[in-house]
Amino acid sequence: MNIHEYQAKEVLKGYGVRIQEGIVADTPEAAHEAAVKLKEQTGTSWFVIKAQIHAGGRGKGVVNETGSHGVILAKKLEEVAEKAKNILGGTLVTHQTGPEGKLVNKVLIAEDVYYPGASEPKEYYLSILLDRATGSNVIMASTEGGMDIEEVAEHTPEKIMKEWIDPKVGLQPFQARKVAFALGLSGNAFKEMVKFITALYNAYEGTDSSQFEINPVLKTSDDKILAVDAKVNIDDNALYRQKELAAFRDVAEEDPLEVEAGESGLNYVKLDGNVGCMVNGAGLAMATMDMIKLVGGEPANFLDVGGGANATTVEAGFRIILKDPNVKAILINVFGGIVRCDRIASGVVEAYKTIGDIRVPIIVRLQGTNAAEGAKIIDDSGLKVFSAITLKEAADKVKAVLEA
Ligand code: GDP
Ligand code: MN
């Protein structure tokens, strides 16, 4: 589960990670008040207004309606409300949102931390993530902060250093020093960076996260090290014991079809193709999607209805698939184990009649317990539903209806 920057910063601060201070606001008036309060608290007289969406690249991103960038600087308190107004309620398009962009409901009013001083402020990149290949956590660090890290990884991979951490032992002090040293730091900035990395790792562990990305981490002109941005991804499987973090969920940031599917206990992921799929079991769903591609189709979604599929789940699955205007055919591929094929077939026929007005052809492949009975129910229903026994046969029928 992803959370917003303002939420992530609050969490990090709780673990002793130094952050760029800020106050969240959802109207231009609240943005002004936030700036007044922030000035009192931090003494700042410049403010950064940051769109809160679950996507990066906001600084370079543009709000469709106003042309404003998603991260902007206000050098006067009086400008904050107006600049916030140009972002709030707008659609921000960044290289991570896709061309449709994301609606901005909140802005973070943050203190300016790039003030001049003894030295130039310098941006770094730091992330911590789960490395499944080695079964450990890995810290990635780079002096090329503030930039698109994918670009750095592609053109100058030697500029990204990696330090693996055994989750049983945890981060060792020498490892934090090694990372800070690799970033070329010395003196007070080095000490601050060691503290920063240590606190950040504690936060990563304590929140059951699978990914932290702080880009940029800033060394201020007076050698403070702080998080200017924060992307935090919490492991969904840990949310049962991370109740405070679970409350940070923002469904407005999620695909509405995926939210609806979740409420019906379905595991649904929207894709870009034209063949809707309804399958029981994730492995079978993957195999089904492969088959669709093999015959020249593209899956419109991944949908695992789970082991306990019945008429209600089948109907809920149908409704969700049909809301996707790209769907030109639906392939139902269910293995009857505990759930018998005849039950599923009846469920399909029932759902078909209940929903009514289904214009796309449906191919049903039922295997396992009572497969023949299931096929007969489909064939006898008189509906525009085609049955198939083998997966290849099902895929060929999909191909035939797409070409028809
Ligand atoms: P992202 O574009 O979505 O990754 O948003 P970030 O939070 O990383 O901010 C983007 C950029 O805004 C940073 O790389 C900085 O260059 C700039 N920025 C952020 N905070 C400040 C600030 O306090 N002062 C100034 N002058 N620029 C800032
Ligand atoms: Mn960033």
Side-chain angles (χ1 to χ4, degrees), residues 212-244:
F212 265 24
E213 186 180 67
I214 314 297
N215 188 23
V217 171
L218 189 76
K219 178 173 81 70
T220 63
S221 58
D222 49 354
D223 280 355
K224 291 195 193 90
I225 302 290
L226 47 83
V228 168
D229 194 3
K231 180 179 168 187
V232 163
N233 185 275
I234 301 148
D235 186 342
D236 289 348
N237 293 316
L239 289 175
Y240 77 96
R241 63 178 191 189
Q242 295 285 356
K243 298 255 157 43
E244 272 175 45

Side-chain angles (χ1 to χ4, degrees), residues 134-195:
T134 59
S136 53
N137 293 313
V138 61
I139 294 181
M140 301 212 275
S142 176
T143 52
E144 308 307 293
M147 314 216 280
D148 207 349
I149 198 68
E150 285 79 10
E151 292 269 307
V152 181
E154 196 181 325
H155 302 295
T156 47
E158 70 282 0
K159 290 191 171 165
I160 302 176
M161 78 86 73
K162 294 179 184 175
E163 182 68 17
W164 280 268
I165 294 129
D166 185 332
K168 292 190 290 297
V169 185
L171 177 74
Q172 298 299 294
F174 82 88
Q175 294 181 297
R177 290 198 296 269
K178 195 169 151 191
V179 176
F181 187 75
L183 293 175
L185 295 166
S186 60
N188 205 36
F190 175 89
K191 281 187 212 152
E192 287 281 322
M193 182 61 90
V194 170
K195 255 199 262 172

